[in-house]
Each structure stands twice: as structure tokens, then as C-alpha cells.
Amino acid sequence: MKKYWRSLEERKKGIDCSTEKKATQKGNLEMALDIFEEKTVNTKSNRRDFLKLCGYSLALGTVVASCESKVQKAIPYLIKPEEIIPGKANYYASSYMNGSEYCSILIKTREGRPIKIEGNDLSGITNGGTSARVQASVLGLYDTSRYQHPVKNGKKIDWTTLDHEVIQRLNACDSEDGRIVLLTHSIYSPSTQKAIEVFLKRYPSAEWISYDSISASALLEANQQCFGKAMIPDYRFDEAHLIVSFGADFMGNWLSPIEYIKQYVKNRNLNDGKGTMSKHIQFESNMSLTGSNADYRVPIKPSDEGLILANLYNEIVKGKGEQGSTLPHPTRDVKELAWELLKQKGQSLVVSGSNDPNIQILVNTINQELENYGKTIRFEHDLKLKQARGKDMQRLVEDMNRGQVKAVLCYGVNPAYDYPESTKFIQGIKNTPFTLSFASAPDETSQLVEFVAPDHHFLESWNDAEPKTGIYSLVQPGIAPLFKTRQAQSSLLNWTGEKRDYLQFIRNYWKENLFKLQDHHTDFDSFWDNTLQQGVFEPQTDLQAVYKFDSTVVAKAMDALRETHDGEGLELFFYESIAMGNGKMANNPWLQELPDPLSKICWDNYVAISPQQAREMQLETGSMLKLEGTYHLPVFVQPGQAYNTIAIALGYGRKVCGKVGKEVGTNVYSLMPMVKGYQQFFRRNVYVEKMEEEYPLAITQTHHSMENRPIVREATLTEYKRNPAAGNEHHHKGMEPASIYEKPKFPNHRWGMVVDLNSCIGCGACSTACQVENNVPVVGKNEVIRAHEMHWIRIDRYFSGDEMNPDVSFQPVMCQHCDNAPCENVCPVAATNHSSEGLNQMMYNRCIGTRYCGNNCPYKVRRFNWYDYTMADSIPENTMDVAEMTLDLKRMVLNPDVTVRAKGVIEKCSMCLQRIQEGKMNAKLEGREVRDGEIKTACQQACPAKAITFGDLNDRESRLSQLARGKRNYHLLEEIHTLPSVSYLTQIRNKKEKQI
């Protein structure tokens, strides 16, 4: 049997010997004493204890009803809005826009308050998928650390005063020909671009500069040189039979990951008799989400990427009978890869995440030689999400420090935190006479400026988007503004003398420019209403985008790569984490507590180092390193990390932030080198020094063990073609285990779920969606270390094979809803029971907290509320005081259909029972049966890979039943005969016995 392991210690000793596991093996009495004595793990600071610091996130509970509760006044609707039915959700199509991140969404509201984000199935880009950050974004709306009014020099002012002073200052700058700079993130909203044009026209001395904290400048520059236009093409992973990626984490954070996940999984889905799947080869330094899903993964040093690509280009050229260039000896033999690519001409795709224009030019040339343009790479709908040019930002910082800039207005950017040369930017801001920020919440940049004109949260805003050329979507608010904020576009228009409402401004733009692109609606109002309802507008226009490739640019790029190659010394690679991204959402506790897909660490960033390097440097997980004599970070020994490299996640170490994210982790943006205006994602010759102290990391993976049972089942594509039950033969032996229990009967429905391990990529969107939907509390770092995390669905990550380059398997595990549930037999008060529809149910008001059920659960999916995480047991003293009003605001994100659990009870996955009941009720009102696929669980709906299928097992024609009868289907721990209602499909890898 193939051996799977979760940590290097487990692999080495064959058992789970982690310190976290040992900490949980205390007796019940000792654990109880620990709780009541409030002993905590010794950390650097107890600030991360969520119960003490998180005044914002999940202090979310309803007041407990008791005889001592005071009277709560309820104000009924006198004139009820027509669209609101109490107790029933309303959905509004909109768009998630967070810097260079985009997703078409539906806003779920209850009684006028947004409580959940869903994906929009009508979008041709995201196709109903979401990410963890999209799911968690709703919590930012209720962040009480947001700016609640305009500010001047740290003091509250009103909008009239701000407008008067800003207009006066702008006019003074313009009259003196003083340079005014509007510094924004990449703007892909056509109406916002139009508003900026109006602003620039009003103030001729103004200049618009875009800045992205994680830049794609090199890709833009490479396409400018190769095709004559600075653009990001439309990559089609669903059309590629062979995908080769060099450090591009396209399923994690590169460009448009939700879109790319959809495409990638579509070409690897083996259901419905499909017998082919794309092959994916990943060259990378750190173990990324994309690399962990690759069929072949090749660890390399970042500095070797250019030379490997140059040699790959040479081999492709030679394979076509042409003369190659003279290059240094390659670090990798890529002849076989070159031949495979040539065999897949027009059906292959090569991408790179590098920000070196010479590398991107070489990648373009390889794709040109492979005839991929017009097939797997297209230009008709080029991507508009990252359009900022790094050289522009570098020039601005230099000009600010020379005193050549008189005014800077910052919109959606925070360079004082995330610009690699932030000290220069900070000094430049101090040299600038007039500074303003549109930040919606305090950040490092807004603390430096004179004025703050706070922007709305996107759920309070009107806007539009053109994420790809010719593909549009609208943004509409789900709630009226909670504070005295104003949309940034409205402020810009107001300062130009335009008194038009921004919504009307958007409507006018669409009427003049987009209405004519369709012929279905004869009047604009019906077109607008229809688009607003659908959320997207994707006209069927015949776009012609033909660009001629300039083959002369490759020689210069090859020469540059030959000169810059230097693979000596320890190299540091920078990457964005799946949860934190660039750090803008650092104050979101749902994201802080989301475990990294590979390391399973939350509430910190760390130095990932290879096992071999760790042994040589005598480092272990939790050791402390000093980098460049200044930066102190803990070590995580990461299987798969390239030797002689280390990796650190960006997005941590915020200094000006809400209580949740402040000073969590370390900011390493300033370690990123700038080369000719391009930020580089790796640093050469890094000096590191081992420190004596140790640091506890909150690691969730080692809290659970399947004791070497075959919980992950897999096979190769060749084996699968030979036998569809490959890797799953044990399940199909046909034996019916004996049982002392009567076989359960389900007269109406029998709800179940199937998880396709071939589609699950381990991104964590399902975990966050479940947390939002079911009011699952955040517990904080200390409690995670003590194995007290509360996620109802966890994604177990298993390694297999060589520790330096292992295979990775992901397996989502939630309550299995067993028909022979071991938890039900041991509860002394019958708090957990089995429904007539196959669900394992919890009666929270009956549970007395014995935890017998949790001890008896073989899947370890039950969670115990050690503390009053949600303040469900708390009763405010004064209903009229400000403190309670603030608390009420935080409670607005709660789902009223789900009970808020109190201290001392067990909770776990309910298969979104509230959604099941809603679906059944809707069907009953319409006098019909529940349709297959009509009811979707939160995890299923959020998954960008559509790895989860939910339905009725009693319906033999349902999609779920078809998958459950397939030969790839199996249950966890079948040998103990718990008869779960959740099953899995085996993982299939497209690989040979010998890796490339």
C-alpha cells in the first residue's frame, strides 16, 4: 500500500509524534482544568487570542432568552418594502472587485443586510465559482475599524468642509501648474475610467498613474515588444492538452485564478465515461497550490528559470530542424519535455509567473514556435485586471522625493506598506504639500496623508467592470452605506463641479457606449434592468484581434538571460498566500484562520525551507531565523521546497490595521528587489542566521489522524483506462459486511454527497463558505494550537513519496452523516440523532457537553465550543449604549436560519439543513417534487472546481446517485461499517512510472 504522511515527523517515525498531537492527548480532567485555569500556550504575544482582541469579527450572537432578560423593543414594518418577505432571502447580482481581483457574484441579503456571497453562474469568466477571499469579503462590510466619516489630520470633519478645502487646494495646484497625481490600482471599470478622464480634463496638470502591489509589468512589456500592444492575453487552460507552468500559480493567485481553475478542471474531469485528461507539468521553487495539483512537479531555484526556458526553446527549435543558440550547460534536461510539447503543437500552453520581461518574451516565443496563439492563447478578450506599469510608480516616487509633485490622491493602493521601496514612498509623501486617500479603512498610507475621503465598501457601491475586453458586469449595493462614507468616483466628480449622481453617470455611460452592442432590447431602461438582474453583459460581438509576432526580440532576451544567470547562494522566493493575498484583507479573521493549503498553518507567515536544507542548518519547524540581520520569522520545514531556496508569503505584518490583522506575521515587501522598475519575486544570496528562540505555529493538519488506513485512493490514467476501479478494487469486492443493526430505511429523501478528489484542488473556498453560512466562530491562534479550531469542513493534505518532491493529495472531510453513526449511540441525552432523511442531526439546546460523541467519531469532525466564542451567552447591560449598538452591527453578518451555538456544546456539519428545508418548502409551495441539483450546500456552491455534488440518494436518476454507483466511488473507513452518506471518487494522475 502507498504510504501517506502529513508531516515529516510522521513520515520519519511512522506515527504522529508532533507536539500539537501530544498536547491533545491529555486526559479529559487535565484538559478541563487547563480550560478553567485559562492556561494558554506560551507565545510571543497573547494578542492573537481571538477572545481578547477580536472586537470585530465574530462577536456575533443573539441574546440568550431567559427569565432575567430585559424587554427588547421590536419595530415592525409600517410600510414594508415590496421586495422583502421576512424570513426569506433576496439575491442581488453584483461583482466583487478588490484591486486586481474580480468575481461575478450574487449578494444574499436578509431583511436588507448582506450575509453571504455566492458565485454568479451566468458569468462566462467565473462561471459561479468563488474563492476564500470572495466568500470572506462580506465580513469587511461590518468592520467597525472602517473610517466612519471624512478626516483631516486625524480629526473628524464633514463632507462640505472636505470638499471646499480639497477643491481649493486642487485649484491652487492647477493654477500654478503644480503636478497632481491620481495614484490608483489597475482600473478595469469603464465608468470609473470615464470619471477619471473628467477629473483629468478639469485639472490639466493632473496625471493618472496605476500601481499594483503584485505587478504583471513584465508580461505587459513582453507583449508590447512581441505584438505591439501591452496586454495580457486570454489563456485557455481548457483547450490545452499539455500545460507547462514556470512558477505561475494560476490556481492560487496568478492573474485570474477562479477562471483558470474552472478551465483546468474541465479538462481533467473523468466523469461520464471520459477517458482523457490534460497533463500538467510545474517548474517552481516553493510548493504552491498549482504545483501540488500537477502531474509532474520539478523543484528549481528561481534564478534557474530563465536558463531552463532558454534551453527548452533551443530544444524546440532543434526539434523543428532549426539552429539553436549557444547556452551554458542546463540545470535540467528538457529534451523529453520539448518533444512532448512539439507533439502537442497548437494544443499546449506554456506560462510563467516571472516579472522579468526577458523571461516573458522567451515564453511568448516558445508559444509562437508551438503554434499556440489563436488556440490556447487568444487575443479577442484580453485580460484587463493588471494593467499597472512598475516603471511609472518608480518614476513617481523619484519625482515626489525631488519635490516635483504638489498633490497625490491615493485610491485603492497602500504603497507605504506594500511597495518594495516603501521608505522612499513615505519620504516622498512627506515632501508632497497636498495628500489625500480614499481608503475605506485605516492603512499605512492613509495614516500619512492630510485628508481621508473614505470610500464605500463594495457591497455599498454602484460600479461596473470590464475584466476582459468586451465582457462587462455591474456592481450594485446590497445595503445602504453604514457610515458617512462616499464613493471615490462621486468625490472625483464632485471636485470637478459635476453634481451628477454616480449611478446616473454609469447609466449614461452604458447608454452611450454599451446599449448599441445588443439588439434584444429596444429601450435602454429594459436593457439596464435586465443586465442589472443578470449581473453580466457579454455581447456576442465578432471581435477581430490579429497581432503579428516580432521574432527579432528573442535574440536580445536570450542574451540578457545568458548574462544574468547566477545560481549561487541561498535564494528567497516571495509569493501570495491563498488566504491573505497582498495583505489588503488582513483584518479579516475568517482569512487569518484559514489554514494554508500546503503547510496547514494559519495566523502567521513563515520561512518555508526544504527538509535537506533544514537538516544542514539544524533547523526544525518552529525554529527562528533572522534574515538580512533585520527580519525575524519562524521556520516551517516544507516538503517539496527546492533545495537552497526559502520562501515567504507576502501580505502579513500590517502596522496600521484593525485589531485582528495588526502585527500578525512579518512584512517582507521591502526585501523584494527592484530591477529597472520591475519588482522581482525572488532575492539572491540571502543571509540567514539561526536564532536560539522558538516560535509556536498554529498547524491544523496534525490534529487528526487516519492511522495509515487507505483514506486517499488513487491510480494513474493508464491504470484507470485499463480498469475504471483502479485504486478502488477493495470497495468493489462485492461483500456485504455483517451488522447487528437493522438496515435503516428512508421513505422520502436520503441526502448525500460525493467529493471528486480528481477535481478538488485544496483551495479552501468551501471551508470559508461553510463558516460564513453556518455562523462558525473564529477561535484565535492559541486555541488553534490547542486543536480547538471550529471549521466544520477541513481539507486534509497528505504527502506521499520523496520528501524533497512528494505527491500531494487533498481530501475534504466533514461530518459523514453515517447511517450507523457511532456518535449517536453514546450520547447520554440523545442530543445527536438520525433523521428520516439520512442526516445526523444535533439538538444544541439538549447537548450537555460530555464530548462522548466526539471521542467516538472515527472521522474527528465534531467541534466543541470551549468558550463563548459567539457571545451567545452574553446579555448586554444597557440596550441604548454605544457598545451594544456596535455589537449589533457586528451581528448583522449572522445567518438567521442557523442557530448560534453557545459555550459547552458540540457542533458539526449539518449538510446545510436550512438550505434543504428551504428547497423542500419552495417545491411544496409550487406543488412539485424537489428537482435534482436544486438544493446546493454552501461548500458545493462556493467550489470553483465543482468538486462537490449534493443530492438525493433515493433518486436513482440524480447526478449524485450516478456518481455513487460509479466504480471510482468509495467511503472513508468502509471496514468499520458506519455507512456514511458522504463518499469520494478516486484521484487519477496523468503520469508515468518515471517522472520527467
Side-chain angles (χ1 to χ4, degrees):
M1 184 187 298
K2 191 172 183 177
K3 298 294 183 182
Y4 296 87
W5 38 280
R6 300 158 299 150
S7 63
L8 290 168
E9 293 84 357
E10 182 180 349
R11 181 178 187 271
K12 182 179 180 181
K13 296 187 178 181
I15 59 173
D16 188 353
C17 59
S18 67
T19 56
E20 292 82 6
K21 183 69 176 179
K22 290 178 180 178
T24 65
Q25 291 173 343
K26 302 177 181 180
N28 288 344
L29 177 60
E30 187 178 353
M31 287 292 282
L33 289 174
D34 279 357
I35 293 300
F36 288 111
E37 293 175 13
E38 296 186 347
K39 294 180 180 177
T40 58
V41 178
N42 182 24
T43 63
K44 183 177 179 181
S45 169
N46 64 1
R47 173 191 47 74
R48 294 186 180 87
D49 185 339
F50 182 81
L51 296 173
K52 297 178 181 178
L53 67 85
C54 188
Y56 134 41
S57 67
L58 293 185
L60 307 167
T62 55
V63 177
V64 178
S66 70
C67 58
E68 298 179 0
S69 298
K70 54 180 168 284
V71 174
Q72 301 290 324
K73 294 181 180 180
I75 303 175
Y77 281 121
L78 295 179
I79 303 176
K80 182 180 73 64
E82 183 179 353
E83 69 275 10
I84 291 182
I85 300 175
K88 194 170 183 64
N90 289 69
Y91 292 85
Y92 298 92
S94 188
S95 301
Y96 165 84
M97 299 170 67
N98 184 19
S100 294
E101 298 177 20
Y102 168 81
C103 184
S104 182
I105 62 172
L106 302 178
I107 308 170
K108 179 181 179 180
T109 67
R110 282 293 299 270
E111 286 73 58
R113 56 188 174 90
I115 62 171
K116 182 74 168 59
I117 300 294
E118 306 291 2
N120 186 355
D121 293 328
L122 299 179
S123 170
I125 298 177
T126 54
N127 291 288
T130 61
S131 67
R133 292 201 285 270
V134 173
Q135 288 291 326
S137 63
V138 66
L139 193 57
L141 175 64
Y142 305 111
D143 182 355
T144 52
S145 69
R146 286 172 55 193
Y147 283 113
Q148 301 184 18
H149 47 72
V151 172
K152 177 183 179 182
N153 293 324
K155 296 181 180 180
K156 177 181 178 180
I157 58 173
D158 57 50
W159 281 106
T160 303
T161 303
L162 181 136
D163 289 339
H164 175 74
E165 294 199 28
V166 168
I167 293 172
Q168 193 176 45
R169 300 283 287 276
L170 288 173
N171 286 334
C173 288
D174 192 58
S175 63
E176 299 172 0
D177 290 329
R179 186 174 165 198
I180 302 170
V181 174
L182 177 62
L183 180 63
T184 75
H185 57 76
S186 289
I187 301 295
Y188 48 94
S189 161
S191 295
T192 303
Q193 292 175 356
K194 182 65 176 178
I196 292 174
E197 290 176 8
V198 172
F199 178 81
L200 298 178
K201 185 177 180 180
R202 169 62 183 81
Y203 299 102
S205 65
E207 178 186 5
W208 175 24
I209 294 177
S210 297
Y211 160 71
D212 291 328
S213 58
I214 306 297
S215 175
S217 298
L219 190 54
L220 296 169
E221 178 61 27
N223 286 316
Q224 176 72 55
Q225 294 189 37
C226 293
F227 300 102
K229 182 180 179 181
M231 61 178 174
I232 299 175
D234 183 11
Y235 295 105
R236 297 303 302 265
F237 291 88
D238 54 336
E239 301 291 340
H241 293 180
L242 177 58
I243 300 166
V244 183
S245 170
F246 288 83
D249 187 12
F250 57 83
M251 287 189 279
N253 290 290
W254 189 67
L255 300 182
S256 184
I258 299 174
E259 175 188 12
Y260 297 155
I261 289 170
K262 287 281 186 183
Q263 296 176 358
Y264 180 85
V265 172
K266 179 181 178 181
N267 221 5
R268 295 174 68 86
N269 192 312
L270 291 173
N271 297 323
D272 303 319
K274 187 170 177 285
T276 60
M277 57 188 290
S278 63
K279 180 182 287 187
H280 173 200
I281 301 170
Q282 184 86 2
F283 291 80
E284 63 181 11
S285 304
N286 67 314
M287 175 71 84
S288 71
L289 181 64
T290 302
S292 67
N293 285 279
D295 297 304
Y296 296 95
R297 181 178 175 276
V298 185
I300 62 171
K301 296 185 68 174
S303 61
D304 289 338
E305 179 181 335
L307 185 58
I308 293 172
L309 276 165
N311 279 283
L312 177 61
Y313 168 70
N314 255 2
E315 295 298 333
I316 291 172
V317 169
K318 291 177 183 177
K320 296 178 71 173
E322 301 173 20
Q323 182 66 39
S325 304
T326 303
L327 293 168
H329 188 274
T331 57
R332 297 277 175 178
D333 185 358
V334 292
K335 290 182 180 179
E336 184 179 348
L337 176 58
W339 278 110
E340 284 207 41
L341 285 167
L342 285 169
K343 286 188 290 185
Q344 297 289 350
K345 278 199 301 185
Q347 296 178 318
S348 59
L349 178 58
V350 182
V351 294
S352 170
S354 171
N355 203 35
D356 184 334
N358 294 308
I359 287 179
Q360 293 293 352
I361 288 172
L362 195 52
V363 169
N364 286 355
T365 308
I366 290 173
N367 281 308
Q368 174 70 12
E369 293 290 338
L370 296 173
E371 302 174 11
N372 290 333
Y373 287 105
K375 299 168 185 174
T376 60
I377 307 176
R378 301 174 186 173
F379 297 113
E380 291 81 6
H381 300 288
D382 56 296
L383 193 69
K384 292 180 173 290
L385 300 186
K386 292 202 174 192
Q387 298 297 313
R389 309 296 288 269
K391 290 182 178 180
D392 294 339
M393 181 63 181
Q394 190 175 50
R395 174 173 56 84
L396 170 63
V397 172
E398 292 172 354
D399 291 347
M400 288 167 63
N401 280 279
R402 285 195 289 259
Q404 297 176 355
V405 179
K406 301 305 179 184
V408 174
L409 286 67
C410 298
Y411 170 50
V413 294
N414 186 15
Y417 162 72
D418 54 30
Y419 185 58
E421 297 177 343
S422 58
T423 53
K424 292 183 180 179
F425 176 83
I426 292 170
Q427 186 58 47
I429 279 285
K430 294 177 180 179
N431 289 345
T432 306
F434 172 45
T435 55
L436 180 144
S437 173
F438 295 98
S440 61
D443 59 35
E444 287 78 358
T445 302
S446 71
Q447 292 294 98
L448 300 172
V449 302
E450 182 180 0
F451 293 93
V452 178
D455 193 12
H456 291 332
H457 188 270
F458 83 93
L459 292 175
E460 302 168 326
S461 304
W462 286 100
N463 209 348
D464 60 0
E466 188 184 8
K468 284 186 169 183
T469 297
I471 298 178
Y472 306 90
S473 66
L474 285 171
V475 179
Q476 66 173 314
I479 192 172
L482 296 175
F483 307 119
K484 293 180 181 179
T485 57
R486 185 173 69 190
Q487 200 158 346
Q489 294 89 337
S490 296
S491 294
L492 288 175
L493 291 173
N494 195 41
W495 300 335
T496 64
E498 290 258 359
K499 298 299 181 181
R500 280 185 292 173
D501 176 70
Y502 185 56
L503 170 59
Q504 189 59 45
F505 188 88
I506 298 172
R507 285 174 57 92
N508 290 343
Y509 179 88
W510 279 60
K511 187 174 184 178
E512 294 172 5
N513 298 277
L514 304 185
F515 177 52
K516 59 188 176 184
L517 299 181
Q518 56 83 46
D519 53 15
H520 183 72
H521 300 277
T522 56
D523 65 290
F524 175 75
D525 286 339
S526 62
F527 163 69
W528 174 264
D529 292 343
N530 181 72
T531 305
L532 195 62
Q533 185 179 37
Q534 297 195 358
V536 294
F537 173 53
E538 301 178 4
Q540 301 298 315
T541 53
D542 186 19
L543 296 177
Q544 298 294 327
V546 179
Y547 297 97
K548 185 177 180 181
F549 185 83
D550 184 357
S551 58
T552 62
V553 298
V554 67
K556 183 179 178 181
M558 291 281 280
D559 291 341
L561 290 172
R562 188 184 294 111
E563 294 173 2
T564 59
H565 173 66
D566 177 16
E568 301 299 323
L570 186 67
E571 296 180 1
L572 167 59
F573 183 78
F574 303 93
Y575 66 98
E576 292 180 89
S577 78
I578 298 301
M580 284 297 100
N582 64 3
K584 188 174 183 178
M585 299 177 71
N587 202 46
N588 193 307
W590 286 339
L591 294 177
Q592 288 285 4
E593 196 151 298
L594 178 67
D596 179 84
L598 280 308
S599 68
K600 312 309 292 185
I601 293 174
C602 55
W603 289 102
D604 264 309
N605 61 343
Y606 46 85
V607 177
I609 190 169
S610 72
Q612 181 180 345
Q613 192 104 41
R615 285 191 292 270
E616 293 175 1
M617 299 178 65
Q618 298 181 338
L619 296 171
E620 298 178 349
T621 294
S623 300
M624 286 293 290
L625 275 183
K626 182 188 293 185
L627 279 73
E628 299 296 312
T630 303
Y631 302 85
H632 297 187
L633 288 102
V635 167
F636 177 73
V637 182
Q638 174 68 71
Q641 180 74 27
Y643 177 69
N644 217 18
T645 70
I646 57 177
I648 304 175
L650 302 165
Y652 290 83
R654 292 286 303 274
K655 298 296 184 183
V656 181
C657 187
K659 293 182 180 179
V660 174
K662 188 177 181 180
E663 297 182 354
V664 173
T666 303
N667 181 10
V668 293
Y669 273 106
S670 57
L671 279 171
M672 298 180 75
M674 293 286 291
V675 178
K676 298 179 180 179
Y678 299 95
Q679 66 177 160
Q680 299 300 299
F681 301 143
F682 74 97
R683 185 184 184 95
R684 304 170 189 266
N685 302 314
V686 178
Y687 173 74
V688 298
E689 179 184 353
K690 181 182 178 182
M691 304 174 67
E692 294 300 322
E693 61 192 276
E694 293 189 353
Y695 185 90
L697 291 167
I699 307 176
T700 63
Q701 178 69 31
T702 51
H703 293 170
H704 312 283
S705 176
M706 291 295 182
E707 306 300 340
N708 292 324
R709 296 186 177 103
I711 47 86
V712 173
R713 300 186 185 180
E714 63 176 73
T716 65
L717 182 60
T718 302
E719 293 169 337
Y720 170 75
K721 287 180 178 179
R722 197 163 47 239
N723 174 21
N728 197 27
E729 294 86 353
H730 174 72
H731 177 72
H732 291 277
K733 287 185 178 179
M735 290 181 58
E736 182 65 31
S739 175
I740 63 174
Y741 297 104
E742 180 182 352
K743 191 171 183 178
K745 298 178 181 179
F746 306 102
N748 297 313
H749 303 286
R750 185 191 175 196
W751 304 111
M753 182 178 287
V754 168
V755 181
D756 188 347
L757 299 185
N758 218 48
S759 296
C760 175
I761 63 166
C763 65
C766 57
S767 294
T768 305
C770 174
Q771 190 164 25
V772 181
E773 172 74 20
N774 294 294
N775 304 332
V776 177
V778 172
V779 300
K781 178 180 176 180
N782 287 345
E783 293 305 297
V784 173
I785 291 175
R786 303 175 74 184
H788 292 173
E789 68 269 15
M790 297 296 294
H791 288 124
W792 282 9
I793 175 172
R794 69 176 192 267
I795 302 180
D796 289 342
R797 179 267 300 132
Y798 295 94
F799 295 120
S800 57
D802 181 13
E803 65 179 20
M804 293 299 292
N805 190 21
D807 289 332
V808 183
S809 299
F810 296 106
Q811 184 163 52
V813 181
M814 67 295 289
C815 176
Q816 303 292 291
H817 293 272
C818 311
D819 290 342
N820 290 339
C823 56
E824 296 173 8
N825 300 330
V826 296
C827 181
V829 293
T832 180
N833 59 76
H834 215 64
S835 78
S836 61
E837 297 183 349
L839 297 179
N840 180 264
Q841 301 178 136
M842 277 297 305
M843 299 183 185
Y844 298 120
N845 62 347
R846 180 178 286 182
C847 178
I848 60 173
T850 63
R851 294 187 293 140
Y852 295 161
C853 58
N855 292 335
N856 220 39
C857 174
Y859 308 102
K860 300 306 173 192
V861 289
R862 289 175 166 260
R863 304 286 177 257
F864 184 69
N865 277 277
W866 290 97
Y867 295 99
D868 185 17
Y869 297 119
T870 57
M871 298 182 72
D873 289 338
S874 304
I875 303 175
E877 295 181 358
N878 186 345
T879 58
M880 299 304 293
D881 64 17
V882 175
E884 191 195 13
M885 291 172 64
T886 305
L887 185 62
D888 287 341
L889 176 64
K890 299 159 192 171
R891 289 174 176 166
M892 288 175 72
V893 78
L894 279 174
N895 184 355
D897 293 328
V898 180
T899 302
V900 179
R901 285 76 60 188
K903 178 175 64 177
V905 302
I906 284 280
E907 59 183 72
K908 52 99 195 164
C909 165
S910 66
M911 263 194 205
C912 291
L913 180 60
Q914 68 279 4
R915 293 187 173 212
I916 295 174
Q917 292 301 108
E918 182 183 23
K920 289 164 58 179
M921 183 62 68
N922 290 337
K924 184 177 181 180
L925 291 173
E926 296 175 13
R928 57 173 176 80
E929 296 291 328
V930 176
R931 302 188 188 99
D932 182 37
E934 177 181 6
I935 301 173
K936 293 184 179 180
T937 60
C939 57
Q940 174 191 14
Q941 194 162 14
C943 179
K946 299 304 177 191
I948 300 173
T949 303
F950 174 81
D952 187 356
L953 288 166
N954 278 356
D955 181 0
R956 298 286 294 177
E957 301 303 317
S958 69
R959 179 63 176 164
L960 177 74
S961 294
Q962 294 172 11
L963 294 175
R965 294 195 299 268
K967 293 187 176 181
R968 289 173 57 206
N969 186 274
Y970 73 97
H971 298 92
L972 288 187
L973 307 183
E974 292 170 330
E975 58 272 26
I976 62 176
H977 198 55
T978 57
L979 300 180
S981 296
V982 177
S983 58
Y984 298 82
L985 303 183
T986 54
Q987 183 177 9
I988 307 299
R989 301 182 188 272
N990 190 3
K991 65 192 305 180
K992 299 180 293 187
E993 293 299 321
K994 183 180 179 181
Q995 294 191 12
I996 292 177

